[in-house]
Amino acid sequence: MTTVSSTNGTTAQTATQAAAKSNTLNYNDFLKLMIAQMKNQDPLNPTDSTQYMSQIAQFSGVEQAINTNSKLDQLLVNSNISQASTMIGLTLKAPDGTTGVIQSVRIDSSGSTAILTTGKEVPISAGVTIGFPTS
């Protein structure tokens, strides 16, 4: 993106401040910055229009990648919830020797945690065995 050395208008400042508040640059902020860049370019040395098109295409690609990641995150959460629902009623054995029947499963940013009927919480991680109760 071409750097604008100084701007007279407040459009670029407003877009920059809005982006700084949210720590992300959305498509509208990008367009505001691009318009401010066009308004404040050197009339004797204007920016090539192919650069603008390239910037729009790059930003569009990044925006699509962000949207895809968001959808994949949601899909992963849905998958984890589906898997967690199949664990309820099964027996859990942790590497530390803790055993019990799974009453519920909590899913958060740190992973999945099984809550046993005894009230004990066991992180579902490597070494945890989950199976059908033996009668």
Side-chain angles (χ1 to χ4, degrees):
M1 184 180 284
T2 306
T3 305
V4 178
S5 58
S6 68
T7 58
N8 296 332
T10 59
T11 307
Q13 293 170 346
T14 304
T16 304
Q17 289 167 353
K21 286 180 185 175
S22 67
N23 291 330
T24 59
L25 185 66
N26 65 28
Y27 200 69
N28 289 334
D29 294 332
F30 174 77
L31 291 176
K32 287 177 186 176
L33 285 170
M34 192 171 79
I35 289 169
Q37 179 182 354
M38 291 171 78
K39 284 181 182 178
N40 295 295
Q41 67 183 328
D42 182 5
L44 300 176
N45 186 16
T47 305
D48 185 15
S49 62
T50 57
Q51 287 181 351
Y52 288 121
M53 295 307 294
S54 173
Q55 291 170 8
I56 290 172
Q58 287 174 347
F59 189 80
S60 179
V62 169
E63 186 177 40
Q64 289 301 319
I66 290 169
N67 290 339
T68 300
N69 286 343
S70 174
K71 290 179 191 286
L72 287 174
D73 287 342
Q74 185 60 45
L75 185 62
L76 182 60
V77 168
N78 291 345
S79 174
N80 287 341
I81 290 170
S82 177
Q83 288 177 354
S85 69
T86 64
M87 294 180 199
I88 296 172
L90 299 180
T91 302
L92 175 139
K93 182 174 182 183
D96 66 358
T98 303
T99 60
V101 177
I102 300 173
Q103 178 178 345
S104 62
V105 178
R106 182 180 64 237
I107 301 170
D108 54 28
S109 61
S110 63
S112 301
T113 304
I115 296 124
L116 306 179
T117 53
T118 60
K120 182 156 179 127
E121 296 187 6
V122 180
I124 300 173
S125 59
V128 171
T129 304
I130 298 174
F132 291 105
T134 55
S135 301

